[in-house]
Amino acid sequence: MFPPPLAMLLSRQSGDIRPDADVNATNWTGLSGGTLFSELNETSPDEETSYIYSDSQNILPGAQTYDFTVGLSNPSTVPNSGNQHQVSVRARKDNVILSAPPHQVDIKIELLETTTVRAMRNYTDIADTYATKSFNLTAGEIASISNYNNLRIRVTTTLQLGIDFDEVRCRITQAEVSFL
């Protein structure tokens, strides 16, 4: 029998689950024109050759909101509550015409179990270069998950145009849940 700390360490599962199905893909397009999940499920993001992008906002005033949902692969083993659960999405603002206008792109990232929100975080005014937006689930959020085979990621973007005669959209190149 291992001493308690080593036994705990060995009982923890690690790994990643990535998109394997489109659940809702309205108003988002994959660069290759295919499924969204196939553009998002890479181990290492290849930012300029594999990504999805939202429809664009090109009318003042106001904001436009678009969302998508992807199903996640089943974990090889069910993580336990001792695992850190981290949700990550790699995203950027995409200024379509002008290079640095005063546009704002916000994203909301949700971890769903089928249609029930298990965790959610908001990111305001994302940059026009790719950055990974990630968060760790709280113990309560982890405890609320009852079936790891039904996990999904939903991303909602809100686009706000800063000046007229331009366009802005959101790009995403990778999404995953890691068990550390």
Side-chain angles (χ1 to χ4, degrees):
M1 179 104 186
F2 295 110
L6 183 56
M8 287 176 51
L9 184 62
L10 292 175
S11 71
R12 294 178 65 183
Q13 293 9 308
S14 63
D16 302 321
I17 55 176
R18 294 187 180 84
D20 69 353
D22 289 353
V23 176
N24 171 23
T26 306
N27 299 315
W28 287 80
T29 305
L31 180 63
S32 64
T35 60
L36 302 185
F37 80 87
S38 64
E39 302 282 356
L40 299 173
N41 65 359
E42 55 221 14
T43 304
S44 298
D46 51 358
E47 299 166 345
E48 297 306 319
T49 60
S50 180
Y51 61 85
I52 66 172
Y53 56 92
S54 68
D55 282 355
S56 60
Q57 166 69 1
N58 58 7
I59 300 171
L60 279 174
Q64 188 66 46
T65 301
Y66 303 112
D67 66 79
F68 71 88
T69 306
V70 288
L72 298 172
S73 59
N74 297 338
S76 56
T77 58
V78 175
N80 62 45
S81 60
N83 285 98
Q84 183 181 33
H85 293 45
Q86 185 178 70
V87 178
S88 300
V89 171
R90 191 157 177 81
R92 66 170 275 197
K93 173 174 35 181
D94 189 12
N95 299 308
V96 179
I97 299 173
L98 300 176
S99 62
H103 306 319
Q104 182 170 325
V105 174
D106 303 331
I107 61 172
K108 175 173 64 172
I109 302 169
E110 297 169 291
L111 179 65
L112 307 175
E113 184 177 346
T114 311
T115 58
T116 303
V117 176
R118 297 298 184 201
M120 178 197 67
R121 303 295 187 277
N122 291 301
Y123 299 90
T124 303
D125 200 15
I126 64 172
D128 59 2
T129 56
Y130 278 109
T132 300
K133 305 300 182 186
S134 61
F135 61 92
N136 296 324
L137 273 62
T138 66
E141 291 167 335
I142 293 170
S144 74
I145 299 171
S146 60
N147 188 341
Y148 282 84
N149 294 336
N150 291 333
L151 293 180
R152 300 172 175 178
I153 290 178
R154 178 170 54 205
V155 176
T156 304
T157 186
T158 302
L159 310 173
Q160 299 179 49
L161 200 62
I163 58 173
D164 217 349
F165 306 109
D166 198 10
E167 290 184 54
V168 66
R169 61 186 177 194
C170 182
R171 269 198 214 181
I172 298 178
T173 190
Q174 184 185 37
E176 67 183 6
V177 176
S178 299
F179 306 111
L180 310 168

